């Protein structure tokens, strides 16, 4: 208590002493220090809720970052032109010279082409022709791998030296299904054996190539009667000219029937996947929010019990001049400290879980700052709400009744 003299009456008036921040922390943490086990159990619910929310957001952000890194590496400037159907519903073919015409469009930097062959690929002639294993046979030009930004897992790509020979390059899925582990082995296509000269690494932007057996353009024409009409044209253009090139492709590839040419963007699937990465996250965030609310209820319950157990302490402080506001501040501070401890533990656990998941999957470790700030802010809000009722109840206790309860 502090003393003040009333100027009009000359009487000494007592007024309650103010509590500084250090005093508030001291009295607010007194209940926590005296009951450490109860503090740990109460903070555990908050920690679980925050850890769940941080881990869910962090794992989702790490997965999205990995997809975006993959998109950056693969590029979003590739377009694919394929034949559609005529106005009468008949299948059409792209002109034989369409790869060269496509390459003359301003802004186009690389062009690759494939042509479908009505053949199956098998390990030996003893395997029935109908058992294709979902593998298609295609003719491919030497610019395809460069346009797709692909790499070879083993062996070599098609070139001028092997374009005329019975050589084949397999996508990595095709190699797995055929049981081919490296170059030098043979597969059976169109009544003769072809030597495998290479296996391609995965191609996320061209999954159809992963499930194909690729022959040289000339070898396909000479050995398997390929008609020379491409069925897929792949092109890379400068980033600034992608939209203009997309509009020009149909009129350039087939000037007489541009409506017969379909143009697609294979990177759009990865972009859509990156954008919808958080769709399932919302459900898990809801579960984390429920856990956080349950933790808040646990904190409120702990604080109510603390008020009941410490009625003598409250009465003693009130009888020594503590105001109701100071009592409320004491217990709200105690609730905030209790929730804050759980929140800090939850942030550490959630970030650690995200790191373990990202490291095991080869992903970048990403924990968005807004998730950390929002999670800790939610913790403090829950702590304030959980401590309000017990604090008000403690402040309403009469000093005499509180002291008589001992």
């Amino acid at each position: 208590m502090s003393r003040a003299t009333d100027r009009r009456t000359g009487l000494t008036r007592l007024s309650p002493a103010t509590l500084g921040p250090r005093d508030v922390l001291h009295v607010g943490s007194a209940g926590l220090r005296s009951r450490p086990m109860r503090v740990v159990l109460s903070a555990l619910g908050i920690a679980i809720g925050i850890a769940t929310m941080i881990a869910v957001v962090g794992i989702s952000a790490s997965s999205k970052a990995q997809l975006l890194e993959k998109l950056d590496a693969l590029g979003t400037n590739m377009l694919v032109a394929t034949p559609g159907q005529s106005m009468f519903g008949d299948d059409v073919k792209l002109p034989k010279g369409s790869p060269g015409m496509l390459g003359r469009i301003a802004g186009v930097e690389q062009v690759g082409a494939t042509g479908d062959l009505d053949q199956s690929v098998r390990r030996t002639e003893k395997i029935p022709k109908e058992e294709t294993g979902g593998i298609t046979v295609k003719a491919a030009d030497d610019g395809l791998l460069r346009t797709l930004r692909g790499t070879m897992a083993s062996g070599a790509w098609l070139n001028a030296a092997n374009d005329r020979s019975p050589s084949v390059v397999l996508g990595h899925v095709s190699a797995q299904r055929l049981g081919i582990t490296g170059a030098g082995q043979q597969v059976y296509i169109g009544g003769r054996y072809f030597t495998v000269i290479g296996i391609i690494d995965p191609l996320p932007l061209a999954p159809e190539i992963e499930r194909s057996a690729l022959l040289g353009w000339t070898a396909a024409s000479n050995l398997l009667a390929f008609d020379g009409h491409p069925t897929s044209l792949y092109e890379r253009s400068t980033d600034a000219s992608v939209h203009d090139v997309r509009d020009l492709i149909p009129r350039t590839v087939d000037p007489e029937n541009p409506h017969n040419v379909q143009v697609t963007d294979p990177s759009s699937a990865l972009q859509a996947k990156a954008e919808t990465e958080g769709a399932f996250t919302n459900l898990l965030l809801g579960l984390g929010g429920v856990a956080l609310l349950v933790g808040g209820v646990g904190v409120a319950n702990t604080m109510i019990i603390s008020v009941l157990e410490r009625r003598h302490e409250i009465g003693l402080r009130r009888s020594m001049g503590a105001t109701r506001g100071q009592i409320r501040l004491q217990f709200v501070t105690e609730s905030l400290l209790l929730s804050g401890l759980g929140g800090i533990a939850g942030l550490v656990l959630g970030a650690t879980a995200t790191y373990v998941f990202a490291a095991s999957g080869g992903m970048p470790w990403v924990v968005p700052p807004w998730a950390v700030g929002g999670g800790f802010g939610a913790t403090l809000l829950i702590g304030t709400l959980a401590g309000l009722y017990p604090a008000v109840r403690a402040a309403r206790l009469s000093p005499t009744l509180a002291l008589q309860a001992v």
Side-chain angles (χ1 to χ4, degrees):
M1 301 290 288
S2 61
R3 298 175 180 270
T5 303
D6 193 318
R7 293 181 179 179
R8 291 179 298 177
T9 63
L11 299 177
T12 301
R13 178 168 51 87
L14 297 178
S15 60
T18 58
L19 296 179
R22 184 174 181 179
D23 299 321
V24 172
L25 288 176
H26 180 74
V27 297
S29 60
L32 304 184
R33 295 194 302 269
S34 61
R35 299 169 179 83
M37 183 56 66
R38 182 183 296 176
V39 169
V40 172
L41 295 177
S42 299
L44 185 60
I46 296 288
I48 292 174
I50 292 297
T52 301
M53 299 176 73
I54 294 297
V56 166
V57 174
I59 290 172
S60 176
S62 298
S63 300
K64 184 174 182 178
Q66 184 185 44
L67 284 174
L68 293 177
E69 283 185 356
K70 187 181 295 184
L71 268 175
D72 290 339
L74 297 174
T76 57
N77 58 345
M78 188 177 81
L79 299 173
V80 182
T82 55
Q85 291 183 330
S86 68
M87 58 186 304
F88 301 104
D90 300 324
D91 293 333
V92 298
K93 293 183 178 181
L94 298 177
K96 292 183 179 180
S98 55
M101 293 187 288
L102 180 58
R104 288 192 288 271
I105 297 178
V108 173
E109 298 179 327
Q110 298 169 339
V111 177
T114 62
D116 291 342
L117 297 170
D118 187 17
Q119 302 288 343
S120 62
V121 55
R122 295 164 285 164
R123 283 301 304 266
T124 70
E125 71 275 13
K126 300 183 183 298
I127 298 176
K129 185 178 181 180
E130 294 75 18
E131 296 184 10
T132 63
I135 303 172
T136 58
V137 180
K138 298 177 181 288
D141 64 7
D142 56 0
L144 179 65
L145 188 67
R146 182 175 62 256
T147 304
L148 297 177
R149 294 184 181 175
T151 56
M152 300 301 297
S154 63
W157 175 245
L158 301 168
N159 53 48
N162 54 40
D163 183 63
R164 298 176 180 274
S165 63
S167 304
V168 62
V169 173
L170 300 177
H172 86 285
V173 175
S174 300
Q176 292 173 356
R177 293 178 179 177
L178 291 169
I180 302 295
T181 57
Q185 297 177 268
Q186 292 188 319
V187 293
Y188 193 73
I189 305 174
R192 65 180 302 163
Y193 281 95
F194 284 69
T195 301
V196 176
I197 62 172
I199 299 174
I200 309 175
D201 280 321
L203 296 169
L205 293 185
E208 67 280 3
I209 302 299
E210 298 178 342
R211 294 163 176 78
S212 299
L214 305 170
L215 285 62
W217 207 266
T218 304
S221 301
N222 296 340
L223 304 177
L224 299 176
F226 174 50
D227 61 8
H229 289 277
T231 51
S232 295
L233 298 175
Y234 303 84
E235 70 81 27
R236 291 272 185 185
S237 56
T238 60
D239 293 334
S241 60
V242 172
H243 295 291
D244 294 336
V245 170
R246 186 184 187 113
D247 294 335
L248 292 172
I249 287 177
R251 297 194 296 271
T252 303
V253 170
D254 194 348
E256 296 182 1
N257 301 289
H259 56 274
N260 291 343
V261 181
Q262 296 180 342
V263 181
T264 57
D265 178 5
S267 66
S268 59
L270 281 179
Q271 290 175 346
K273 185 176 181 181
E275 291 172 358
T276 59
E277 187 64 33
F280 186 65
T281 302
N282 294 333
L283 174 61
L284 297 179
L285 274 177
L287 295 177
V290 171
L292 185 58
L293 289 176
V294 172
V297 172
V299 171
N301 185 57
T302 299
M303 294 305 302
I304 291 175
I305 295 175
S306 179
V307 169
L308 294 176
E309 291 179 345
R310 297 160 62 189
R311 297 178 71 180
H312 177 64
E313 173 193 332
I314 297 169
L316 184 60
R317 288 200 62 211
R318 290 282 285 122
S319 65
M320 294 179 66
T323 64
R324 290 185 175 183
Q326 291 173 343
I327 296 297
R328 284 194 295 268
L329 182 60
Q330 173 187 348
F331 283 92
V332 169
T333 301
E334 184 174 329
S335 178
L336 280 172
L337 291 174
L338 179 57
S339 299
L341 290 174
I344 293 173
L347 291 177
V348 174
L349 289 175
T352 302
T354 302
Y355 176 79
V356 172
F357 180 85
S360 63
M363 303 177 185
W365 179 41
V366 179
V367 178
W370 65 263
V372 175
F376 193 69
T379 299
L380 297 181
L381 178 61
I382 291 291
T384 302
L385 296 177
L388 278 179
Y389 173 71
V392 171
R393 183 170 178 174
R396 288 178 177 175
L397 287 175
S398 170
T400 55
L401 291 176
L403 291 173
Q404 290 174 1
V406 181

